[in-house]
Amino acid sequence: MRNQLVSLSVAMSLSFGLMAYASDAPRTGANAPGAVIPASGPSANSAPPTPGPDKDSFAQQKEDTQAQIESSKPADEPPVNSMPASGKVMVTSKQKQSAAMEASTIAPHGPQPTIPAVVNGRPTVALALGGGGARGAAHLGVLRVLEREGIPVDYIVGNSMGAIVGGMYASGLSIDQIKDCMADGSMRHAYMPGPIPPKVLLAPLQKVVNPFGSKHYAGLFSGKKFTKYLDSVLPEPNMNVQDTKIPFSAVGTNLLDGKAYRMSEGRLSTVMMASSAISPILQPVTIGDKLYVDGGVRANLPVMGARETGAGIVIAVLVDEPLVQYPAKRFVHLKGIASRLADIVLAVSDERQLQYADVIINPNVSGISILSKHPEDTDKAYRAGELAAEKALPQIKEALKNVPHPKSSVAAHGGQPTDNL
C-alpha cells in the first residue's frame, strides 16, 4: 500500500510538471520579433536502402519492443558511456575539446545520404528545424518565404515538431496542407488522444493489472494513433524516409546510451514519431537496436546533423523562447519551476548547436504554449516565421553568392566549425 501511495505521489508530480510545460498561459520573451542571428559555420549521394517488407509499423514496433525488453533482462553488461570515466582528469586541449564536441554530436543511425556542397554553381542548402510543439508552425512561415523567393531546400533535418513539419514537407505535402493539420487540432489530438491528468492518476493501477511487469515501455499513450494519423496524411501509404522528394533526416535521443542519432531510413511515420516522442506522454519508440524519445533531450535544434549532410549552407530555425530574467515570486509554485527547468534544458541544448549554423532564424513565438489548443496560435507562429525569414533574406541571399570550398565541412575539419561565410 505504501509503494502504491509513493507511485501515486510521483505520478501526480509528473502530471503537474507536464501541465506546467503545456500550459496555455502566456509567457513573455525578450527577443526582438523575428530575430535573425548571423552565424559562422563549416559538406556524395548514396543509394537509398531497399525498403523492408510492408508490415504495420505499430505491430512491428510492438514485436521489436518485446524482443528488446526480453533480451535486456539479464543486464550483465556495463552501461555505455562515451564520456570520460569517473575519476579521469582531462588536461590537454584535445581532451577537453573532445568532451565538448561529444555534447553536440549527432551520431548516425544506419546509412546517411549526403549531398554535394555545390550544385550547378550554387551552394546547397540544408535546413535544421528545431522542436517546439505548436510553435513549430513558424517553420511553415519560413518555408513559405523560401518558396516565394525561389531559395532551394536541398535537405531537411528536423527534431520533434521540426521533424514532423520537415518530414511532411519533404514528403511532398504543401505548406497549406500541413498548416491545416495543425490549425484544425487533428494533429494534436492524434498525438495526445486524451487528457493527461486521468492517465497519470490511473498509471499506478498498471501494477495491479500487470503485477509481473509490462511488455511495453512506459508512457501515457502508445503512439499508435499518432502513427496511423501520419500515415493517413502522407502522400503515399507506408512511405519510407528514402522516398521523400527532399532528402530528410529526423533526430531522436536513444535512451539506451543517452546519445542523439540522425535517422535517415525506414518508415517515415515511425521515424517522425520517434523524434517527437516526448516522455512520458508517448511511449519510447523501438527502431532496430535503439530506443528513441524526443530528440530535444540532446539536440533540440539539430544543426550538427544538418551540417553533416554535406550542404554548403545550413539555415537553422529556432522556435524556442529565450531565457529571460523572472521575478522570484514566479517560483513559489511547482508549475513555475517545472516550466523554467524545461526552458533551461532546451536553451542549453540549443546553445551547443548554434555555432554550426550559417544563418539562425529565431521567430518571435513568445506566449505560444508548446501544446496549445488554439488555432490562432498556429496563425501567430506561422506569421512570426514569415516575418523572421523575410528579415533573414539579405543574409541568405548573400550566403548563396559565396560558393564554399568542397571540403569546407565539419567532417573535413575534424568536427570543428569552419568560417565559410
Side-chain angles (χ1 to χ4, degrees), residues 14 18 191 218-219 255 276-284 292-294 297:
L14 179 59
L18 282 171
Y191 184 89
L255 286 179
S276 59
I278 298 176
S279 185
I281 297 178
L282 291 188
Q283 295 170 5
Y292 285 113
V293 293
D294 193 290
V297 178

Side-chain angles (χ1 to χ4, degrees), residues 265-287:
E265 63 176 1
R267 185 80 163 261
L268 180 57
S269 59
T270 301
V271 166
M272 290 160 69
M273 186 176 76
S275 177
S276 59
I278 298 176
S279 185
I281 297 178
L282 291 188
Q283 295 170 5
V285 179
T286 302
I287 299 180

Side-chain angles (χ1 to χ4, degrees), residues 27 82 128 173 201 291 296 393:
R27 294 155 59 198
S82 59
L173 291 180
L201 292 173
L291 182 62
L393 283 176

Side-chain angles (χ1 to χ4, degrees), residues 54-123:
D54 184 12
K55 185 176 184 179
D56 179 76
S57 62
F58 191 77
Q60 182 64 58
Q61 181 194 335
K62 186 176 181 181
E63 289 180 12
D64 292 344
T65 296
Q66 292 179 358
Q68 197 174 55
I69 293 174
E70 292 299 323
S71 66
S72 65
K73 278 184 178 178
D76 292 329
E77 307 227 351
V80 177
N81 190 356
S82 59
M83 296 299 287
S86 178
K88 182 176 180 179
V89 178
M90 292 180 288
V91 179
T92 67
S93 296
K94 186 176 181 180
Q95 288 174 321
K96 290 182 281 187
Q97 193 175 65
S98 177
M101 277 298 299
E102 180 67 26
S104 56
T105 296
I106 300 175
H109 179 166
Q112 299 295 322
T114 57
I115 57 176
V118 180
V119 172
N120 298 326
R122 65 158 178 88

Side-chain angles (χ1 to χ4, degrees), residues 184-410:
D184 66 13
S186 59
M187 181 186 293
R188 181 184 183 279
H189 182 67
Y191 184 89
M192 200 168 62
I196 290 176
K199 295 285 290 186
V200 172
L201 292 173
L202 292 174
L205 295 179
Q206 291 295 326
K207 290 289 186 180
V208 178
V209 177
N210 297 301
F212 300 107
S214 175
K215 291 296 183 180
H216 62 73
Y217 294 108
L220 301 180
F221 302 101
S222 68
K224 182 176 181 179
K225 186 170 183 178
F226 188 53
T227 303
K228 288 186 175 180
Y229 172 81
L230 292 174
D231 280 329
S232 71
V233 298
L234 290 172
E236 299 175 16
N238 307 324
M239 191 172 192
N240 287 312
V241 177
Q242 307 93 287
D243 301 328
T244 55
K245 294 185 177 180
I246 300 172
F248 170 73
S249 300
V251 172
T253 302
N254 179 23
L255 286 179
L256 304 184
D257 63 10
K259 294 181 180 180
Y261 286 86
R262 180 161 66 99
M263 301 168 279
S264 304
E265 63 176 1
R267 185 80 163 261
L268 180 57
S269 59
T270 301
V271 166
M272 290 160 69
M273 186 176 76
S275 177
S276 59
I278 298 176
S279 185
I281 297 178
L282 291 188
Q283 295 170 5
V285 179
T286 302
I287 299 180
D289 61 351
K290 308 289 192 298
L291 182 62
Y292 285 113
V293 293
D294 193 290
V297 178
R298 282 299 299 260
N300 187 56
L301 183 65
V303 184
M304 176 66 92
R307 178 60 66 190
E308 290 177 343
T309 65
I313 297 172
V314 172
I315 300 173
V317 185
L318 174 65
V319 294
D320 286 333
E321 289 188 307
L323 287 179
V324 296
Q325 184 74 27
Y326 282 140
K329 65 180 182 180
R330 187 182 181 91
F331 306 111
V332 297
H333 301 292
L334 288 176
K335 178 179 176 180
I337 294 176
S339 177
R340 184 61 159 180
L341 290 177
D343 287 342
I344 293 171
V345 169
L346 290 177
V348 171
S349 175
D350 293 338
E351 287 166 3
R352 292 171 179 158
Q353 295 286 325
L354 292 178
Q355 61 182 314
Y356 303 106
D358 298 305
V359 177
I360 303 162
I361 302 175
N362 186 196
N364 181 12
V365 291
S366 298
I368 300 176
S369 163
I370 287 179
L371 295 178
S372 173
K373 303 176 184 179
H374 307 302
E376 58 268 26
D377 281 343
T378 299
D379 292 331
K380 179 180 177 182
Y382 172 81
R383 182 56 183 154
E386 279 190 315
L387 291 173
E390 287 166 356
K391 287 188 176 183
L393 283 176
Q395 288 92 335
I396 296 172
K397 289 181 177 179
E398 184 64 28
L400 286 169
K401 295 177 183 177
N402 300 323
V403 180
H405 189 277
K407 292 186 178 180
S408 60
S409 67
V410 170

Side-chain angles (χ1 to χ4, degrees), residues 113-203:
T114 57
I115 57 176
V118 180
V119 172
N120 298 326
R122 65 158 178 88
T124 50
V125 178
L127 297 183
L129 305 182
R135 302 168 189 165
H139 294 314
L140 297 172
V142 173
L143 288 167
R144 177 76 77 189
V145 172
L146 297 181
E147 274 192 4
R148 187 182 68 216
E149 296 295 324
I151 295 171
V153 175
D154 301 292
Y155 209 117
I156 299 175
V157 180
N159 167 64
S160 197
M161 182 54 81
I164 295 171
V165 170
M168 294 173 82
Y169 185 75
S171 76
L173 291 180
S174 71
I175 292 172
D176 288 334
Q177 287 175 311
I178 304 170
K179 188 168 180 279
D180 287 343
C181 290
M182 298 184 70
D184 66 13
S186 59
M187 181 186 293
R188 181 184 183 279
H189 182 67
Y191 184 89
M192 200 168 62
I196 290 176
K199 295 285 290 186
V200 172
L201 292 173
L202 292 174

